[in-house]
Amino acid sequence: MSETTVAVVTGASRGAGAGIARALGSHGCTVYVTGRTQKGGAAAESGLSGTIDETAQAVTDAGGRGIAVRVDHGDDEQVREFFERVGREQGRIDILVNNAALIRDEMMGRTRFWEEPINVIDTLNVGLRSSYVATVYAAPLMVPHNRGLVVFTSSSGAVHYAFGPAYGVPKAGTDKMAADMAYDFRDHGIAAVSIWMGSLLTERVRGIIASNPEKFGHILETAETPELTGHVIWALYNDPKLMDRSGRTLIGAELAREYGIKDEGDRQPPSYRELFDVHPVQQYPHVMR
């Protein structure tokens, strides 16, 4: 069984998940990266950049151990089998990052929701529901060890209009899911938090900036790399006061500043609270059980 920190990052073939996985790898973690896109697979043939194999190799190159596992997070049985495999191979999970989401291009335009195909709401399946399912199967690998961290990647779209209901509703649900799961986890030393990421410098966004630096270069002033969230997650996991934050929705840029974490180019990305005067919704202490 592994003695290093064992992390699972879902939806890690590209974008936020890939960056988070790479960052955790730089801290020496064993990182299982899941997704549907792999070398030679049907998804790779679609022309999408990034695969779970490439992310796993990047984790290893960064100093950790990357393990790529193809998982369709819309298939509960595949998810169950995956976590059973992690249990056999590692005996535990220390950090779970729920990042998998099915984002369709049609939901990112300037259309009204009734003008979009119905399947844009599949974000409730692979996005919100899939995070619930993954955490259900991860919990038995975390609870016996009385320490752990479950992270849900989210955004400020949870509290303001962003692209429409197919985007915003799952984000709001994600923040609430972290809060409610934290209550059930609290006697077992496991923290559950939702982290708002800012505008991300993904491979796709970098390409857009490079295509017209004069027009899009300003994005670099406020955007953050996906790796920043990974470094923040690592700092959270090692914070002696982690359980004090459990159940909360946290802004990644604010945590980075608090932990003294700088982003690429020695930048300190601003918080959405500062930029747009938006902040997470407060959860109340009243319990019904």
Side-chain angles (χ1 to χ4, degrees):
M1 299 295 181
S2 172
E3 294 182 359
T4 62
T5 301
V6 178
V8 170
V9 183
T10 71
S13 55
R14 65 183 69 85
I20 292 168
R22 289 191 295 266
L24 291 175
S26 74
H27 295 288
C29 298
T30 293
V31 186
Y32 283 81
V33 297
T34 72
R36 296 186 301 168
T37 311
Q38 61 184 149
K39 291 180 180 177
E45 293 171 6
S46 70
L48 295 171
S49 63
T51 68
I52 53 174
D53 307 278
E54 292 168 348
T55 300
Q57 184 59 54
V59 169
T60 301
D61 292 344
R65 181 188 175 206
I67 303 171
V69 184
R70 188 184 189 282
V71 179
D72 179 350
H73 282 274
D75 185 329
D76 294 352
E77 184 63 16
Q78 286 190 35
V79 176
R80 182 187 65 79
E81 291 175 353
F82 164 68
F83 282 102
E84 286 184 351
R85 170 180 167 175
V86 177
R88 291 192 303 270
E89 294 178 355
Q90 308 297 334
R92 72 181 196 281
I93 293 172
D94 301 304
I95 300 172
L96 169 64
V97 182
N98 284 307
N99 176 73
L102 181 57
I103 304 295
R104 301 189 188 279
D105 291 340
E106 294 89 343
M107 68 178 281
M108 305 304 287
R110 295 184 177 180
T111 51
R112 303 291 191 265
F113 71 87
W114 61 86
E115 299 168 337
E116 300 167 352
I118 292 293
N119 64 11
V120 297
I121 200 61
D122 287 350
T123 49
L124 293 177
N125 182 30
V126 181
L128 187 59
R129 185 181 186 279
S130 62
S131 294
Y132 181 93
V133 173
T135 311
V136 166
Y137 288 124
L141 298 175
M142 304 180 79
V143 167
H145 304 282
N146 294 306
R147 183 168 187 253
L149 172 62
V150 176
V151 173
F152 298 84
T153 58
S154 187
S155 78
S156 64
V159 297
H160 66 81
Y161 187 95
F163 309 115
Y167 180 87
V169 170
K171 298 303 182 185
T174 290
D175 292 356
K176 177 60 173 170
M177 188 178 294
D180 286 0
M181 286 186 173
Y183 182 85
D184 286 347
F185 272 141
R186 68 178 185 176
D187 292 332
H188 302 281
I190 299 167
V193 301
S194 188
I195 295 181
W196 283 4
M197 300 181 290
S199 297
L200 292 181
L201 287 172
T202 61
E203 295 87 346
R204 179 174 178 272
V205 172
R206 288 182 187 276
I208 291 172
I209 295 172
S211 70
N212 193 335
E214 187 173 335
K215 181 177 181 181
F216 299 113
H218 66 90
I219 295 175
L220 294 171
E221 298 174 7
T222 58
E224 57 193 53
T225 68
E227 284 82 0
L228 181 71
T229 302
H231 294 306
V232 164
I233 289 170
W234 179 248
L236 265 175
Y237 177 69
N238 288 284
D239 189 337
K241 296 183 178 180
L242 170 61
M243 292 304 296
D244 293 343
R245 301 185 189 271
S246 188
R248 294 172 55 190
T249 296
L250 307 167
I251 299 176
E254 294 179 356
L255 288 174
R257 185 180 301 132
E258 179 179 338
Y259 288 127
I261 300 171
K262 294 291 186 69
D263 205 357
E264 179 183 84
D266 203 36
R267 294 183 304 113
Q268 198 79 65
S271 164
Y272 267 37
R273 192 192 308 267
E274 301 163 348
L275 288 175
F276 306 114
D277 194 27
V278 296
H279 51 84
V281 173
Q282 177 186 352
Q283 294 290 319
Y284 294 93
H286 180 66
V287 174
M288 296 178 64
R289 198 158 178 93

